[in-house]
Amino acid sequence: MYPPPHHQSHDIEKMISVIKNFPLGILVTAKDGKPFVTHIPFIYNETSRKLVAHLDRNNQQLETLKDEAEVTVVFKGPDTYISPSIYTTAQLPTWNYIIVHVTGKLQLINEPEAIKQTMLDMTEFLEGSEQKFILKKDDPRMERLLNYIQAFEIEIINLEGKFKLSQDKNAQDFENAKQELIGKSRKDVSGFIDGIYE
């Protein structure tokens, strides 16, 4: 990842926070020079400090998922266009964003009870603190699902954080860019979503 020093984050906890708050990761692998990319949710296991996910067995990317294979997962946080109009000093237009790249070694999870546990853990995490749905380990649908998914975990070898947040600007402009990112992140997208559903 192109890393100007003032845009790099070496703060592990901040990078883990991006993973937890924006868990839809982009899994990137390759085979014979051909890239494979899939968007799937990941959870960060606090105990093992590994990423855990599932892939549909019909996904062609599955053929690249081998034990010890090196993979990359990209997590994208908020991003927005920054207009020079928000600054107190003369600037050019730019785009601010928060991105984390994880490089790691993959390990397949094939034991049925372990696969079920990953589904329970992921559901609990994604449901959040106001959990409205609780997946039960004895739910018969889980048994049927075992034949259709491949669970896996990724041992994290390297974390790269690129937090382009106008850090090279003066204190007021830095704060203005922060407020712009917050404001645009809360933008109402209902019209866009309605259009997509049509």
Side-chain angles (χ1 to χ4, degrees):
M1 184 164 52
Y2 168 61
H6 57 278
H7 292 158
Q8 282 183 296
S9 174
H10 300 287
D11 187 323
I12 300 295
E13 293 310 311
K14 284 183 180 177
M15 289 187 273
I16 296 299
S17 178
V18 173
I19 293 169
K20 289 179 177 178
N21 284 280
F22 298 90
L24 185 66
I26 304 168
L27 176 66
V28 182
T29 59
K31 182 178 180 184
D32 301 327
K34 178 182 177 183
F36 291 84
V37 178
T38 301
H39 301 252
I40 51 175
F42 286 82
I43 56 170
Y44 176 75
N45 185 305
E46 294 282 357
T47 305
S48 69
R49 301 186 72 79
K50 295 178 180 179
L51 297 178
V52 181
H54 313 97
L55 196 68
D56 187 310
R57 286 190 180 275
N58 290 319
N59 188 322
Q60 290 182 334
Q61 191 171 16
L62 184 60
E63 66 187 68
T64 69
L65 303 189
K66 307 293 182 194
D67 287 339
E68 301 300 311
E70 188 171 297
V71 301
T72 297
V73 185
V74 179
F75 294 93
K76 182 185 159 304
D79 68 283
T80 192
Y81 168 72
I82 301 292
S83 168
S85 66
I86 68 145
Y87 291 127
T88 62
T89 56
Q91 302 290 337
L92 292 171
T94 192
W95 197 278
N96 282 2
Y97 50 87
I98 297 170
I99 300 282
V100 172
H101 286 191
V102 177
T103 304
K105 288 203 172 177
L106 186 133
Q107 187 70 44
L108 298 174
I109 300 173
N110 294 314
E111 201 278 312
E113 292 307 308
I115 296 171
K116 287 181 187 178
Q117 189 59 52
T118 66
M119 289 192 281
L120 295 175
D121 293 343
M122 183 167 283
T123 302
E124 182 179 1
F125 173 76
L126 295 176
E127 281 286 324
S129 57
E130 297 181 16
Q131 194 168 1
K132 294 180 179 171
F133 173 78
I134 298 172
L135 184 59
K136 304 284 189 188
K137 201 167 193 174
D138 60 355
D139 187 323
R141 293 172 297 180
M142 291 223 328
E143 200 69 39
R144 293 193 295 272
L145 193 58
L146 291 176
N147 294 325
Y148 297 98
I149 63 166
Q150 175 64 63
F152 60 93
E153 61 184 10
I154 298 170
E155 177 187 357
I156 297 172
I157 297 171
N158 188 49
L159 284 162
E160 284 185 273
K162 185 169 182 183
F163 297 179
K164 184 175 180 297
L165 305 171
S166 297
Q167 295 97 321
D168 55 336
K169 308 298 186 274
N170 68 39
Q172 186 58 59
D173 288 350
F174 177 70
E175 179 62 25
N176 291 355
K178 172 184 168 186
Q179 294 308 317
E180 191 75 357
L181 184 60
I182 290 170
K184 295 282 180 72
S185 296
R186 295 178 179 155
K187 180 180 169 185
D188 181 5
V189 296
S190 57
F192 167 76
I193 293 173
D194 283 343
I196 295 294
Y197 271 81
E198 288 177 353

